[in-house]
Amino acid sequence: MRKNALIKIVGRQKYGMDSDKIEMTTVGTFEEKDDCFVLRYNEEQEPPMSPVRTKLTITKDDKRVEMMRTGAYGSLLVIERSKRNLCNYGTEVGDILMGIYGKNIESWFSGEEGSFTFGYDIDVNGALTSENEVKVTVKVN
């Protein structure tokens, strides 16, 4: 059953000697299924772009995360621990084929709140472009 939720996302990217941090707090929905957790939320964009809808699915066995984004440019990132997946990432100039190597996935949920952390590397044409870590916290209303 989907429930309304407050969702906070903190993303950290490291590329070479540079690093960046992105934080976003939004409202969305949270659903606990037999084998996974599903979060849905919108990411507001600069006008005149319409919001990007994001669906984040985390398996309860901490082996897989899927991040599907739909809107003007869609993408599906599949993050599996200790495995590399090829994924399309949509941009305004076309799709980019990226390798996504999953490093760690951890989930915790108490029934009313939880946190989900996952790390992954991105490569383009076999060259490492960034190391990423995302932490998502959720409070169900």
Side-chain angles (χ1 to χ4, degrees):
M1 179 171 149
R2 278 192 210 178
K3 297 179 180 178
N4 291 331
L6 180 65
I7 301 168
K8 180 178 181 182
I9 301 152
V10 178
R12 298 177 192 276
Q13 299 82 33
K14 182 178 173 192
Y15 24 90
M17 300 298 288
D18 295 324
S19 62
D20 193 15
K21 178 180 170 183
I22 298 171
E23 293 188 47
M24 179 179 85
T25 302
T26 187
V27 292
T29 63
F30 177 84
E31 185 175 4
E32 182 176 4
K33 297 186 176 187
D34 290 339
D35 62 344
C36 66
F37 302 102
V38 180
L39 291 90
R40 292 178 173 88
Y41 57 90
N42 289 339
E43 296 178 37
E44 295 300 323
Q45 304 295 307
E46 293 289 326
M49 300 288 290
S50 59
V52 172
R53 293 187 318 264
T54 302
K55 177 182 174 187
L56 189 61
T57 305
I58 304 111
T59 61
K60 288 185 176 178
D61 63 7
D62 292 341
K63 290 186 179 176
R64 182 181 176 102
V65 173
E66 288 185 4
M67 186 182 316
M68 182 170 46
R69 301 175 81 218
T70 57
Y73 312 107
S75 63
L76 174 61
L77 301 183
V78 178
I79 302 158
E80 291 181 280
R81 192 171 352 127
S82 301
K83 187 174 179 183
R84 181 177 179 263
N85 290 293
L86 291 176
C87 302
N88 277 319
Y89 188 82
T91 72
E92 58 192 33
V93 294
D95 287 353
I96 297 173
L97 185 61
M98 303 185 308
I100 306 293
Y101 180 78
K103 292 162 54 171
N104 64 302
I105 301 171
E106 297 174 12
S107 61
W108 168 82
F109 186 68
S110 72
E112 294 183 12
E113 62 183 3
S115 69
F116 309 94
T117 304
F118 48 97
Y120 58 98
D121 292 343
I122 297 176
D123 68 80
V124 177
N125 292 331
L128 181 66
T129 58
S130 68
E131 299 173 62
N132 304 271
E133 183 167 297
V134 176
K135 181 172 184 177
V136 179
T137 55
V138 61
K139 289 187 181 182
V140 177
N141 297 345

